[in-house]
Amino acid sequence: TDLTPAELTEWAQTYFLQNFPQARDLSADHLRIRRISDETVTIDFSGALNTTFAAILGKDKLNFSVTSTASYPREYLDIYFVLDRSASMLIADGEDAIDDLMDATKPWIQAYGSWYRDAEPEGCAFACHLPGGGGEPWYPSDLTLIDLADDLDIPLRNQRVMDAALEVAEVVSENREGVRFASIDFGSDTNLVQRLTSNILRMRSVLDVSYGTEVDRWDTDYPELFDFLERQITTAGEGTQANPDKMVILITDGLYTHGSSHSYDAFDADFCTTLKNRGVRMAVINTVYDRLDHSLRYVWNRVGENSALAATAMESCASEGYYFEANDPDEIDRVFEELAQQILDDPLRLTN
């Protein structure tokens, strides 16, 4: 160790006072850390404690030595990023972006889209991403709102979520061995974009693609998604290379849209039961919907009410300590950072 005697004493006092509050007067004279393997170290420590009652008998210090072994066993872990790629996740990213997209779409809605003209009279920031409403194009040349946002450099939430997910994968990959990642997109259907891999470059290629996905965006079909996950993800293991632990990171706004009428319902916590019973850790990031009172569809479909119901169910779905909720861009970045740190924060185990 490069610690000076004073630094060594300070370190020892900090350690012992945290673990043994009665050890107020401690001096240290030796510390040696021996690396036994990649996963285990042994610490030899010796010093002296000032005594109180023994000092009466002329013994004012009590010498001691201790040896402890700490292990940090490599835990093999498979992480499945499950990304909601439905139209509702393509909302403009933040209040300024919402205003910009509404201003940009308002002229086209008034000129071309009779249905949207009634539903979104102030412009559209809410899942208007199909080329037409009821078969009637509202934006020229069959372009979508994604194309318009891209042309005008208006950020969409979907891209922020993908960037933040990539950051989680990169941070975990750089700081923890034995982790593999997979990426799954879902909307009306579900698509395995990347099979389990420890190659972070592959994950970067699938999570760093602007809006790229093969799924149909019309619905958010949670039953189909979880049927797919149950076929893909078997029982979690004890963390060995042959039998890794498993985690799902579900990123969604919790609005279950389905059917020809595009009905909106809340997420159901029971969707997660089978995977949790298999020992799979469920991390849930709820990207809560912005209030869009200008949108009659937001009101008609009780989006605010269902979003609140979904939050309760999604928290029940998540494993303990793994529910995160965010709305604005900074919050979304922050909760992904918290999740990455939580994955890394496996404490040392003192074995003797």
Side-chain angles (χ1 to χ4, degrees):
T1 176
D2 295 328
L3 293 176
T4 66
E7 290 171 334
L8 179 58
T9 298
E10 182 181 357
W11 178 89
Q13 287 174 335
T14 299
Y15 174 82
F16 274 92
L17 290 177
Q18 286 176 344
N19 292 274
F20 307 102
Q22 66 272 27
R24 297 295 177 185
D25 298 312
L26 171 71
S27 61
D29 54 33
H30 172 73
L31 171 68
R32 184 174 66 152
I33 301 177
R34 292 176 288 146
R35 185 176 182 136
I36 306 302
S37 69
D38 287 344
E39 299 173 357
T40 305
V41 295
T42 292
I43 302 171
D44 299 319
F45 179 59
S46 63
L49 285 171
N50 294 333
T51 65
T52 301
F53 295 109
I56 299 173
L57 303 177
K59 193 168 184 64
D60 57 356
K61 289 185 180 293
L62 178 65
N63 296 321
F64 70 90
S65 62
V66 63
T67 296
S68 183
T69 300
S71 66
Y72 190 85
R74 179 183 301 172
E75 180 182 326
Y76 289 86
L77 174 64
D78 290 344
I79 297 177
Y80 298 81
F81 287 97
V82 181
L83 295 114
D84 184 347
R85 304 301 298 279
S86 64
S88 64
M89 291 292 286
L90 292 166
I91 188 172
D93 187 34
E95 292 182 4
D96 291 341
I98 288 175
D99 290 341
D100 290 343
L101 198 54
M102 289 171 59
D103 289 343
T105 55
K106 186 174 181 178
W108 299 113
I109 288 176
Q110 291 176 344
Y112 292 95
S114 60
W115 188 87
Y116 283 114
R117 190 162 53 242
D118 294 335
E120 310 286 349
E122 300 302 317
C124 189
F126 174 47
C128 303
H129 298 278
L130 298 177
E136 178 187 5
W138 68 273
Y139 186 65
S141 303
D142 261 1
L143 297 177
T144 70
L145 206 61
I146 299 172
D147 302 316
L148 178 60
D150 194 42
D151 288 346
L152 298 175
D153 292 324
I154 298 173
L156 302 181
R157 175 171 292 175
N158 176 72
Q159 190 60 47
R160 177 173 298 276
V161 164
M162 291 183 69
D163 291 345
L166 175 60
E167 182 70 14
V168 170
E170 290 181 334
V171 168
V172 172
S173 178
E174 289 170 3
N175 294 280
R176 178 171 172 174
E177 297 180 347
V179 181
R180 298 187 298 176
F181 305 94
S183 181
I184 296 168
D185 288 350
F186 73 99
S188 296
D189 50 6
T190 301
N191 180 34
L192 177 62
V193 181
Q194 175 60 58
R195 295 183 182 278
L196 284 167
T197 179
S198 57
N199 187 336
I200 195 62
L201 294 178
R202 291 185 181 176
M203 287 301 294
R204 189 175 295 137
S205 70
V206 299
L207 290 176
D208 197 25
V209 176
S210 180
Y211 316 123
T213 183
E214 299 298 323
V215 301
D216 184 334
R217 300 183 189 277
W218 179 248
D219 283 335
T220 309
D221 195 334
Y222 292 117
E224 176 168 325
L225 166 66
F226 279 90
D227 285 345
F228 181 91
L229 295 179
E230 289 165 14
R231 295 193 300 270
Q232 287 286 325
I233 304 173
T234 56
T235 300
E238 65 274 16
T240 63
Q241 187 170 11
N243 203 6
D245 195 5
K246 298 180 181 181
M247 171 186 282
V248 166
I249 301 176
L250 174 63
I251 306 158
T252 182
D253 55 29
L255 293 180
Y256 173 25
T257 53
H258 57 94
S260 58
S261 61
H262 206 51
S263 300
Y264 284 72
D265 292 314
F267 185 89
D268 189 334
D270 289 342
F271 292 145
C272 309
T273 300
T274 298
L275 291 176
K276 290 171 71 176
N277 286 344
R278 292 176 183 175
V280 177
R281 274 181 285 172
M282 294 294 301
V284 178
I285 297 179
N286 177 10
T287 56
V288 181
Y289 231 109
D290 295 78
R291 285 198 61 85
L292 299 172
D293 294 328
H294 72 275
S295 168
L296 292 180
R297 289 184 303 142
Y298 183 91
V299 176
W300 292 338
N301 291 301
R302 299 182 296 118
V303 173
E305 176 184 338
N306 283 322
S307 184
L309 293 172
T312 300
M314 293 166 76
E315 187 169 9
S316 297
C317 164
S319 300
E320 185 175 356
Y322 280 94
Y323 175 73
F324 304 88
E325 190 173 291
N327 172 263
D328 68 43
D330 290 340
E331 285 181 346
I332 291 173
D333 290 342
R334 176 181 54 77
V335 299
F336 275 91
E337 291 170 3
E338 289 178 4
L339 173 59
Q341 192 58 51
Q342 191 156 329
I343 295 171
L344 295 175
D345 277 348
D346 284 342
L348 286 170
R349 297 183 178 89
L350 290 178
T351 52
N352 63 65

